[in-house]
Amino acid sequence: MEREIIRTEDGSTTIHIKEWNENYHSKHGAIQEAKHVFIKNGLALFENKSVSILEIGFGTGLNAFITFIESKRMNQSIKYTGVEAFPITKEELQAMNYVDELEANEFQSVFDSMHAGEWGEINEMDSAFSLTKRQQRFEQIDDIEQFDLIYFDAFGYRVQPELWSTDIFQRMYNSLKKEGTLVTYAARGVVKRSMIEVGFKVEKLAGPPGKREMFRATKNIQNNPNANVF
Ligand SMILES: C[S@@+](CC[C@H](N)C(=O)[O-])C[C@H]1O[C@@H](n2cnc3c(N)ncnc32)[C@H](O)[C@@H]1O
């Protein structure tokens, strides 16, 4: 599918898929969205802790990079796994302006290493942050109780409804440790119903700029007799 680079309203870049009229990030601000949905409402729950994170859709690496930066401020040790079936191209990567927009020149080499690192291997960014990129389809994720936090950042329900199904959320539920948390920018009723069906407890939170609401789902093992069953 044809893709082009666009600038979002906070100045940060993203990738636009023409056929679907869908972006990798919110047009209202890629960085703002990542900070609000995944950091403020996700990572910040784990201050001063070791956190194992699963990202659904590694894409441009923006969420991973912001997580690296913020984890230093919150004194966290991070094991980050990014799943992605269709990695972006070198040209697309070069067009992303995240290091500049985040005023993170001191971490330019980290952003570069995140992308240069081999797929399927553990890449140490420093002594407190490891990144494993897995080239894999979301439909094949079968980890059991590995993660404290999931960043669920698939394309929207409008274009990929199959990725917001009970099959996928059951996989997410199974992959979380007890009391683990999933955050996503989405706030549709149909998504909430799928999450609840597999046993998640779902909260509606204020969304990032340009979006009224978003969901945070918590694993709630007592509610789900089928937990860990595919
Ligand atoms: C909204 S974008 C992710 C943006 C990313 N988190 C970032 O910060 O740039 C969704 C991602 O899901 C990937 N994707 C779409 N369908 C997939 C599938 N079935 N399995 C794995 N990855 C998929 C796309 O290639 C895309 O990178």
Side-chain angles (χ1 to χ4, degrees), residues 14-202:
T14 193
I15 301 172
H16 174 73
I17 302 177
K18 285 190 178 169
E19 248 171 273
W20 281 353
N21 187 26
E22 178 79 357
N23 297 331
Y24 274 52
H25 306 95
S26 163
K27 65 176 190 220
H28 300 289
I31 288 178
Q32 273 182 6
E33 176 190 46
K35 284 190 170 171
H36 180 91
V37 176
F38 302 111
I39 306 299
K40 179 169 166 238
N41 288 329
L43 189 67
L45 300 174
F46 299 87
E47 216 160 322
N48 301 314
K49 295 211 169 107
S50 295
V51 199
S52 175
I53 300 173
L54 172 67
E55 180 176 21
I56 295 304
F58 180 76
T60 65
L62 173 60
N63 291 337
F65 187 52
I66 293 184
T67 298
F68 178 89
I69 296 169
E70 296 293 326
S71 68
K72 302 299 165 215
R73 210 172 45 78
M74 291 190 272
N75 186 33
Q76 294 160 318
S77 159
I78 309 279
K79 229 172 95 186
Y80 198 102
T81 302
V83 175
E84 173 60 60
F86 315 106
I88 64 167
T89 65
K90 277 213 172 78
E91 292 69 37
E92 286 170 331
L93 174 60
Q94 274 159 11
M96 294 298 121
N97 65 0
Y98 302 137
V99 174
D100 287 345
E101 288 294 316
L102 288 160
E103 296 178 5
N105 283 328
E106 60 183 308
F107 298 130
Q108 175 75 58
S109 62
V110 172
F111 187 68
D112 296 342
S113 305
M114 285 181 160
H115 286 281
E118 290 294 327
W119 290 81
E121 287 180 12
I122 301 173
N123 296 286
E124 305 285 348
M125 297 298 121
D126 65 16
S127 59
F129 194 108
S130 75
L131 169 66
T132 306
K133 295 183 292 180
R134 295 200 323 222
Q135 191 161 4
Q136 181 186 31
R137 296 190 71 97
F138 306 144
E139 297 88 329
Q140 270 140 20
I141 291 174
D142 58 4
D143 304 77
I144 303 290
E145 294 189 10
Q146 293 299 310
F147 304 104
D148 300 296
L149 178 61
I150 296 178
Y151 294 167
F152 197 87
D153 200 16
F155 288 130
Y157 181 88
R158 180 181 62 87
V159 294
Q160 288 197 296
E162 69 280 9
L163 298 182
W164 301 86
S165 60
T166 50
D167 175 68
I168 298 287
F169 285 126
Q170 183 74 66
R171 288 170 193 280
M172 299 300 109
Y173 190 94
N174 294 352
S175 75
L176 282 173
K177 296 181 193 168
K178 291 188 185 73
E179 309 296 327
T181 300
L182 177 153
V183 270
T184 182
Y185 64 87
R188 279 187 187 239
V190 62
V191 168
K192 183 178 177 185
R193 285 192 289 280
S194 294
M195 289 172 162
I196 289 173
E197 205 175 315
V198 303
F200 279 115
K201 206 175 99 200
V202 181

